């Protein structure tokens, strides 16, 4: 039978299209459904070639078929229709137009007709529908969708879904061998969550149905696969024709308000097992062994996560768990380096000189602004002691270690990912993915496919594609420049606020004010600027999220994977500039271009260029990282956990009057929060941004991996709790890997080596101290008999003649704060009276040469080791390669033998008949 389409012809009606043209296609087109046996580009205008039962013929616009209404049978845990036989694969929710309040009748009628046409076409395409009115709200109607066996088989072949052929006889290696007793306490209890049986699989084909392991038709397609198939159908069913354009897809109907929600069902309540004996209670098991706080130390049940939520969510939690495990090693080394600096802070010679009243107390520093006073170097004693903790030899060791750690993490993750591809049967997933309905809707241009040499439809010509790429690139650059403008605004804020605070927070005469001792203008400016920067980052995140989605929608990628990869690159680019620009400024630009007293660099002709804190910019960078990392973690938990919990609590409170009524599973799930198709995207983005903080600037904050480790241990369980208890069940999706996040992490790993080398060279004082220790503390430049750090402070500060100050008419404290003739400043310049006064001295050029040499040596050493590690560790282990090859061999052999057997037995009768006829013809003349 042919497919029957019931469409509303509304060409003559005036109607507002609420959500644009997504899901629209010319009436002569239909979403492309491809099968392996059909040439690429051939559109299946009808499904009559598939001989699916239950398909009707094309009818008129009034020939609607509606779902039957059934009353709720009181079984709250039931996952089946009223008859208890047909499983609910999807649920659609709408509000009855006849019971809407304060709505236009014309608009309600149009929505009702669209929905009726859509549901009628679902029925004509073989799906079975049953409607039930809400128990708590009489206006809501729940349409339950069931896919019969024939429909499942048809679309499983169209979608190239791999299904079991026979149980696998390949042995799986236990990860810890004889040490399983040691890790048993960390493992999931197999008596509670039983291991999944492994099968050899192959893409499903209806004409080879007997080759597949169909032990029970009701369980051959698991609930996740059934929901994925039904969603594929729902996304491609048409409901209206308007201006010779067909509109289709459940997403468009939900966005326009015709349906309020569309989702697959959870299988039970998360807090207790289902009373229905046919329910697998997987949600309850996941909550108990995965999302519950008491399971925080246990490994994740990845196989059950993959079975219940699909491979896409499973691969995310597998990656997050592996990343967290690797962070444990980085955190241990980071804490060791921090403790090394903390325990040796009292042996820091240069810090002792700063705090010494006879050395630092007698060094008078030049004013840091036009209205700032002279100040003694000893007031930076506290910050210099803190700097000794972070700016130590341990920091250098940790920066080198992290350059190697990130390579080990990425390489070992590739191996783990290859194992999951084999275990979860996604090795050849790229053959299964279908075009997005939004892409198919725009396929109006015909081109010749270079591979098949046949015509196929594409959404735009080559010229149109170039224009779209140009517009998208221009939009991305524009918004990046806007982020940079916000960073410049923060810099202006820093300069102006420091100028104001320096004027207001003048030191007391005796210098004993405890507030001024700790809350200096530099510290106050740094903290407030970091907080404001964090707030701006959060606001811009909301804006750039919508901008990136708009640009990607305009770009129109072909598949969902292409769409997410394109959105990933744009969002990460926005977030990279948004989160890291202030850190890059503090690390590599702040305090580097300030000039020197008497020849200063000014912003806007008024404000002096910003200088580092007297203790150095490294502490300020550390403060920035702590505020952003901590604030981001707190904000994300509020946004991802607290808000859904409050919304669900409010929803339950609103329906408290009817709380004593027994509500069905579909209504309980409806009152949960929707996850959204991009929900997992934001989880990845959050972790990748954290990965950047852990690797890019770790030389300034060795405790960053520890903070990330603690956050991720909680993040795994919080995400698990959120998805299991607070959100509707997502549509299960296939995924082979983590997508575009993999090359992004590789790019961050390469950049991290450069940034950490430059932080050590240009932001910290490690290189100047080493140059002094090995060269300038002993003759011919120094006076000490042996290598020492004594005298470093005096050697690293240049001298300036107060008489050379410009604008002496300005109100300057140096005119009334003592008769100082000279002052000191942080730089390596010749003193006044030198033939090249105020020019860089020989120490400066030694330091610059040492910094460049350090960067080159460190980068080459780390990159060389990284290359060797990448080469030595294959992406796929030999055992996994052998398993993949053997499974492929056995699968092909099984299919070939079964096919050959069928061919042999089907033709043996004809062959015997031909042989008999030949023998008879040869013998008949002799007998005659």
């Amino acid at each position: 039978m042919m497919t029957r389409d019931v469409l509303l012809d509304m060409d003559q009606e005036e109607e507002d299209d609420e959500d644009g043209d997504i899901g629209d296609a010319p009436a002569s087109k239909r979403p492309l459904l491809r099968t392996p046996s059909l040439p690429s580009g051939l559109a299946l205008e009808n499904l009559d070639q598939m001989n699916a039962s239950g398909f009707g013929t094309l009818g008129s616009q009034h020939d609607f078929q509606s779902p039957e209404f059934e009353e709720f049978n009181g079984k709250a845990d039931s996952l089946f229709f009223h008859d208890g036989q047909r499983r609910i694969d999807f649920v659609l929710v709408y509000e009855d137009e006849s019971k809407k309040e304060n709505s236009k009748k014309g608009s309600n009628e149009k929505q009702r007709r669209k929905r009726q046409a859509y549901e009628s076409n679902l029925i004509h395409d073989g799906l079975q529908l049953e409607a039930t009115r809400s128990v708590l709200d009489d206006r809501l109607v729940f349409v339950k969708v069931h896919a019969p066996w024939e429909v499942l088989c048809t679309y499983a072949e169209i979608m190239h879904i791999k299904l079991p052929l026979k149980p696998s006889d390949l042995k799986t290696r236990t990860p810890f061998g004889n040490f399983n007793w040691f890790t048993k306490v960390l493992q999931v209890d197999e008596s509670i969550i039983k291991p999944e049986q492994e099968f050899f699989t192959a893409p499903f084909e209806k004409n080879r149905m007997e080759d597949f392991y169909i032990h029970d038709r009701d369980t051959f397609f698991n609930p996740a696969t059934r929901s994925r198939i039904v969603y594929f159908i729902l996304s491609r069913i048409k409901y209206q024709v308007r201006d010779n354009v067909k509109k289709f897809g459940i997403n468009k109907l939900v966005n326009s308000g015709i349906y309020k929600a569309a989702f697959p069902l959870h299988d039970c309540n998360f807090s207790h097992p289902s009373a229905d004996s046919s329910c697998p209670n997987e949600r309850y098991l996941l909550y108990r062994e995965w999302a519950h706080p008491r399971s925080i130390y246990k490994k994740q049940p990845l196989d059950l996560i993959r079975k219940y939520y699909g491979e896409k969510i499973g691969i995310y939690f597998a990656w997050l768990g592996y990343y967290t495990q690797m962070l444990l090693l980085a955190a241990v080394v980071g804490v060791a380096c921090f403790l090394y600096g903390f325990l040796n802070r009292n042996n820091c010679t240069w810090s002792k000189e700063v705090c010494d009243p006879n050395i630092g107390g007698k060094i008078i520093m030049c004013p840091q602004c036009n209205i700032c006073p002279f100040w003694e170097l000893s007031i930076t004693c506290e910050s210099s002691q803190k700097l000794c903790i972070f700016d130590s030899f341990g920091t250098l060791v940790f920066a080198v270690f992290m350059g190697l750690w990130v390579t080990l993490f990425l390489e070992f993750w590739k191996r783990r990912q290859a194992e999951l591809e084999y275990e979860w049967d996604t090795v050849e997933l790229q053959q299964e993915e279908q075009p997005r309905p939004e892409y198919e809707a725009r396929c109006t241009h015909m081109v010749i496919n270079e591979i098949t040499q046949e015509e196929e439809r594409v959404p735009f010509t080559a010229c149109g594609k170039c224009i779209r790429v140009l517009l998208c690139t221009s939009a991305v650059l524009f918004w990046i420049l806007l982020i940079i403008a916000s960073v410049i605004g923060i810099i202006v804020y820093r300069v102006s606020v420091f100028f104001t605070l320096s004027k207001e927070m003048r030191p007391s005469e005796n210098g004993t004010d405890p507030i001024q001792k700790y809350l200096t203008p530099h510290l106050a400016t740094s903290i407030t600027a970091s907080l404001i920067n964090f707030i701006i980052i959060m606001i811009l995140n909301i804006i750039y999220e919508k901008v990136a989605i708009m640009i990607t929608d305009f770009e129109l990628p072909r598949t969902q994977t292409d769409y997410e990869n394109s959105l990933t690159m744009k969002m990460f680019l926005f977030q990279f500039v948004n989160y890291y620009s202030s850190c890059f400024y503090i690390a590599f630009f702040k305090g580097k271009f300030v000039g020197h007293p008497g020849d200063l660099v000014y912003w806007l002709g008024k404000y002096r260029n910003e200088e580092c804190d007297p203790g150095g910019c490294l502490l300020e960078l550390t403060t920035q990282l702590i505020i952003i990392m901590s604030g981001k973690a707190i904000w994300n938990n509020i946004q991802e956990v607290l808000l859904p919990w409050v919304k669900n609590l409010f929803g339950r409170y609103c329906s408290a009057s009817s709380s004593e009524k027994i509500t069905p599973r579909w209504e309980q799930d409806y009152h949960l929060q929707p996850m959204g198709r991009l929900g997992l995207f934001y989880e990845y983005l959050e972790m990748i941004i954290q990965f950047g903080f852990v690797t890019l600037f770790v030389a300034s904050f060795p405790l960053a991996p520890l903070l990330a480790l603690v956050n991720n241990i909680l993040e795994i369980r919080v995400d698990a709790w959120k998805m299991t208890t607070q959100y509707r069940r997502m549509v299960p999706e296939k995924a082979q890997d983590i997508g575009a996040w993999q090359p992004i992490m590789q790019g961050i790993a390469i950049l991290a080596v450069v940034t950490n080398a430059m932080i050590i060279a240009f932001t910290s004082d490690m290189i100047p101290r080493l140059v002094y220790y090995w060269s300038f503390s002993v003759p011919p430049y120094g006076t000490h008999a042996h290598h020492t750090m004594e005298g470093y402070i005096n050697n690293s500060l240049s001298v300036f003649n107060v008489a050379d100050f410009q604008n002496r008419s300005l109100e300057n404290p140096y005119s009334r704060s003592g008769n100082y003739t000279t002052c000191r400043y942080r730089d390596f310049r010749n003193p006044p009276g030198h033939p090249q006064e105020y020019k860089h001295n020989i120490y400066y050029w030694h330091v610059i040469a040492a910094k460049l040499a350090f960067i080159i040596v460190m980068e080459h050493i780390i990159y060389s080791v990284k290359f060797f590690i990448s080469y030595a560790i294959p992406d796929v282990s030999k055992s996994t390669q052998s398993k993949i090859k053997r499974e492929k061999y056995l699968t092909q052999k099984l299919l070939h033998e079964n096919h050959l057997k069928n061919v042999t037995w089907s033709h043996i009768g004809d062959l015997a008949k031909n042989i008999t006829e030949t023998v008879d013809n040869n013998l008949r003349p002799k007998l005659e």
Side-chain angles (χ1 to χ4, degrees), residues 653-667:
Y653 175 78
C654 292
S655 59
S657 58
S658 304
S659 59
E660 296 181 358
K661 295 183 180 179
I662 299 177
T663 54
R665 165 56 40 207
W666 50 85
E667 190 156 358

Side-chain angles (χ1 to χ4, degrees), residues 141-280:
V141 177
F142 295 87
V143 179
K144 295 161 285 183
V145 183
H146 169 76
W149 171 259
E150 188 66 28
V151 174
L152 293 173
C153 293
T154 299
Y155 281 92
E157 183 175 5
I158 292 173
M159 298 170 66
H160 306 279
I161 295 178
K162 289 186 175 182
L163 293 169
L165 287 171
K166 62 175 294 188
S168 174
D169 57 358
L170 297 179
K171 295 182 179 180
T172 57
R173 181 178 61 88
T174 54
F176 296 97
N178 296 327
F179 294 95
N180 276 344
W181 60 269
F182 182 73
T183 60
K184 187 175 181 180
V185 68
L186 304 177
Q187 303 291 336
V188 177
D189 190 349
E190 292 187 357
S191 63
I192 299 176
I193 299 180
K194 298 180 180 180
E196 295 293 325
Q197 185 178 7
E198 299 293 333
F199 288 91
F200 293 134
T201 61
F204 185 77
E205 297 180 31
K206 290 180 64 176
N207 58 357
R208 290 189 174 185
M209 193 178 298
E210 63 279 359
D211 294 335
F212 290 85
Y213 187 77
I214 308 178
H215 182 70
D216 184 359
R217 285 193 173 189
D218 293 334
T219 59
F220 180 65
F221 295 98
N222 62 41
T225 304
R226 296 176 69 100
S227 298
R228 188 156 65 96
I229 292 174
V230 172
Y231 182 76
F232 180 86
I233 301 172
L234 294 175
S235 299
R236 287 160 172 78
I237 293 297
K238 300 187 290 290
Y239 61 86
Q240 178 194 4
V241 58
R242 179 170 175 258
D243 296 332
N244 201 31
V245 171
K246 288 185 178 179
K247 301 176 181 292
F248 60 87
I250 186 62
N251 291 333
K252 185 175 179 66
L253 292 171
V254 172
N255 293 336
S256 60
I258 296 176
Y259 284 103
K260 297 181 71 68
F263 53 90
L265 289 179
H266 282 296
D267 63 355
C268 67
N269 193 298
F270 69 87
S271 58
H272 56 79
S274 173
D276 191 343
S277 59
S278 62
C279 178

Side-chain angles (χ1 to χ4, degrees), residues 61 400 403 423 683:
Q61 67 180 44
V400 174
E423 294 174 3
E683 301 294 342

Side-chain angles (χ1 to χ4, degrees), residues 150-426:
E150 188 66 28
V151 174
L152 293 173
C153 293
T154 299
Y155 281 92
E157 183 175 5
I158 292 173
M159 298 170 66
H160 306 279
I161 295 178
K162 289 186 175 182
L163 293 169
L165 287 171
K166 62 175 294 188
S168 174
D169 57 358
L170 297 179
K171 295 182 179 180
T172 57
R173 181 178 61 88
T174 54
F176 296 97
N178 296 327
F179 294 95
N180 276 344
W181 60 269
F182 182 73
T183 60
K184 187 175 181 180
V185 68
L186 304 177
Q187 303 291 336
V188 177
D189 190 349
E190 292 187 357
S191 63
I192 299 176
I193 299 180
K194 298 180 180 180
E196 295 293 325
Q197 185 178 7
E198 299 293 333
F199 288 91
F200 293 134
T201 61
F204 185 77
E205 297 180 31
K206 290 180 64 176
N207 58 357
R208 290 189 174 185
M209 193 178 298
E210 63 279 359
D211 294 335
F212 290 85
Y213 187 77
I214 308 178
H215 182 70
D216 184 359
R217 285 193 173 189
D218 293 334
T219 59
F220 180 65
F221 295 98
N222 62 41
T225 304
R226 296 176 69 100
S227 298
R228 188 156 65 96
I229 292 174
V230 172
Y231 182 76
F232 180 86
I233 301 172
L234 294 175
S235 299
R236 287 160 172 78
I237 293 297
K238 300 187 290 290
Y239 61 86
Q240 178 194 4
V241 58
R242 179 170 175 258
D243 296 332
N244 201 31
V245 171
K246 288 185 178 179
K247 301 176 181 292
F248 60 87
I250 186 62
N251 291 333
K252 185 175 179 66
L253 292 171
V254 172
N255 293 336
S256 60
I258 296 176
Y259 284 103
K260 297 181 71 68
F263 53 90
L265 289 179
H266 282 296
D267 63 355
C268 67
N269 193 298
F270 69 87
S271 58
H272 56 79
S274 173
D276 191 343
S277 59
S278 62
C279 178
N281 292 315
E282 292 174 349
R283 184 190 185 193
Y284 166 74
L285 294 178
L286 285 173
Y287 174 74
R288 176 180 173 181
E289 297 297 320
W290 180 44
H292 199 279
R294 68 186 176 192
S295 301
I296 194 171
Y297 63 92
K298 289 187 177 181
K299 290 189 174 182
Q300 302 180 84
L302 293 176
D303 288 335
L304 184 58
I305 297 171
R306 169 246 182 170
K307 179 183 177 183
Y308 191 76
Y309 288 111
E311 286 78 5
K312 191 170 185 178
I313 292 180
I315 199 73
Y316 163 73
F317 281 103
W319 172 81
L320 181 56
Y322 197 82
Y323 170 46
T324 304
Q325 292 177 17
M326 291 294 292
L327 276 176
L328 179 61
L329 175 62
V332 170
V333 179
V335 170
C337 293
F338 174 80
L339 291 177
Y340 172 84
F342 181 79
L343 296 175
N344 287 275
R345 70 188 187 284
N346 294 327
N347 299 326
C348 196
T349 304
W350 57 271
S351 177
K352 291 180 180 179
E353 292 185 349
V354 172
C355 299
D356 190 342
N358 297 321
I359 301 177
K362 294 183 178 181
I363 296 179
I364 305 301
M365 303 295 293
C366 297
Q368 292 187 305
C369 65
N370 291 339
I371 63 172
C372 298
F374 292 95
W375 51 282
E376 296 177 357
L377 182 63
S378 58
I379 69 173
T380 64
C381 178
E382 293 286 339
S383 59
S384 67
Q385 291 176 345
K386 296 176 183 177
L387 189 62
C388 286
I389 300 175
F390 298 100
D391 194 3
S392 65
F393 180 73
T395 303
L396 172 61
V397 174
F398 188 58
V400 174
F401 167 79
M402 288 302 294
L404 304 179
W405 173 88
V406 69
T407 303
L408 290 172
F409 163 62
L410 293 176
E411 293 302 319
F412 281 117
W413 165 246
K414 290 178 184 177
R415 291 168 66 89
R416 175 59 178 154
Q417 187 171 258
E419 293 177 1
L420 292 176
E421 288 180 15
Y422 164 74
E423 294 174 3
W424 293 355
D425 206 16
T426 59

